[in-house]
Amino acid sequence: EYTLIYPNFFKVVISAVPWPFGWYLNVYVTIPTSFLGRVRGLCGTFDGDINDYHSQSGSIISQSQFFNEWIVPNNENLLVLLQNSLFEI
């Protein structure tokens, strides 16, 4: 588990978790309430509404569109690349 705390008090906690079909990452982002209504990105809008599925351009999209929009291709996925390198002979 890794914890990053930035000078503006943003906190990011990252942990790799084993799963029967490989690994996945838990990423928890905490930001100060002074940023309420002032941020938007992969983790949502932090505006108090349940409208956290946004495209990379900022449009509100469905959950399935969100997953397809932000998926990391296997050739760029660090967990897949690491797993593949562990099993190379």
Side-chain angles (χ1 to χ4, degrees), residues 41-63:
L42 182 59
C43 295
T45 57
F46 194 50
D47 63 0
D49 291 332
I50 301 174
N51 59 359
D52 290 341
Y53 298 117
H54 287 83
S55 68
Q56 294 179 33
S57 65
S59 302
I60 296 176
I61 56 178
S62 70
Q63 184 180 34

Side-chain angles (χ1 to χ4, degrees), residues 36 45 56 64 69 75 80 85:
L36 184 66
T45 57
Q56 294 179 33
S64 61
E69 175 91 12
N75 66 337
V80 170
S85 69

